Amino acid sequence: ALTPMLRTATVGRLYESAPGRIVGVTLGDGSRVTLDAGSAVRVALSDDARRVTLERGSAYFDVAHDVARPFRVGVADRHVIVTGTRFVTSLTGDAAEVSLLQGRIVIGRGDVRQKGALVDGLVMKPGERAVFRSGEPDIRKASADVETATAWRDHKLVFRDAPLSAVIAAVARYSDAPLVAADPELNEIRVTAILPLEGEGSLSERMAALLPVRAERASDGHILTRAGLRAYRRAVTPVR
């Protein structure tokens, strides 16, 4: 198992995963957290509550059941409150997503021990996904695409009708060299594909072989991606 980068923080401990590394962490209460590449969570366990904050990236939580000590995950400006369950969170800028796999969670603005925190929040059931932005009042609830949300745990990325610019942004977390979308046309091309994070050649080479993009290394070490020769037709790889 990989050992997370760990340093003492002012409040709790900060667990981080390096770019390209997926890290598993077992917390002191027995809960398990899997950090996607380039992700970080801050953890503070106390006698009355278990508090975790997703600082960046994505994390999968398998929470140990403990009614006396609710488990709270801070994502953007919301709190996800549970007692024992499995769910996935992601944070990109000020945009956040929470997908529930098992159990029950409540998403709201109140802290885990704040009066009414469970009453005033949005209740989610397994198979549901919540999407929201920091500073905005609404939370959009939809069906969760569990395969897409958790694919990185199996060292692959799944994209369904996604713009190539979003694909490149997601792949950049796993690249050894900085990956840059250098072509505005990438916003206009949508793809459905499965991209393996492991295999022969570099990640940028596998991406260029699978998707309608060209990748070239600049003199400063950055990898520039542009629309490729197949850009004018839809690139489709079956997703099962």
Side-chain angles (χ1 to χ4, degrees), residues 163-182:
L164 268 177
S165 55
V167 172
I168 292 168
V171 173
R173 291 214 303 267
Y174 306 89
S175 178
D176 293 333
L179 198 62
V180 179

Side-chain angles (χ1 to χ4, degrees), residues 29-86:
D29 68 328
S31 296
R32 294 188 297 274
V33 182
T34 307
L35 296 178
D36 195 2
S39 301
V41 294
R42 192 179 300 275
V43 179
L45 304 180
S46 63
D47 292 337
D48 67 340
R50 299 165 288 172
R51 294 178 173 88
V52 177
T53 301
L54 178 65
E55 301 214 338
R56 65 177 182 273
S58 301
Y60 172 91
F61 294 89
D62 188 347
V63 180
H65 186 75
D66 188 347
V67 176
R69 291 197 303 163
F71 194 99
R72 183 228 70 180
V73 178
V75 185
D77 59 353
R78 303 305 208 283
H79 298 292
V80 181
I81 301 174
V82 307
T83 53
T85 190
R86 293 189 295 135

Side-chain angles (χ1 to χ4, degrees), residues 186-222:
L186 295 171
N187 294 316
E188 307 301 323
I189 306 167
R190 307 185 74 87
V191 297
T192 295
I194 299 176
L195 178 64
L197 296 175
E198 298 175 338
E200 295 184 2
S202 68
L203 182 58
S204 60
E205 289 171 342
R206 293 197 299 276
M207 182 177 67
L210 177 67
L211 302 173
V213 297
R214 292 181 291 112
E216 56 188 43
R217 188 178 294 270
S219 58
D220 61 1
H222 287 66

Side-chain angles (χ1 to χ4, degrees), residues 81-85 100 102-106 118 123-126:
I81 301 174
V82 307
T83 53
T85 190
L100 181 60
Q102 177 182 313
R104 177 179 179 270
I105 62 176
V106 177
L118 294 175
V123 178
M124 290 183 62
K125 298 179 294 184

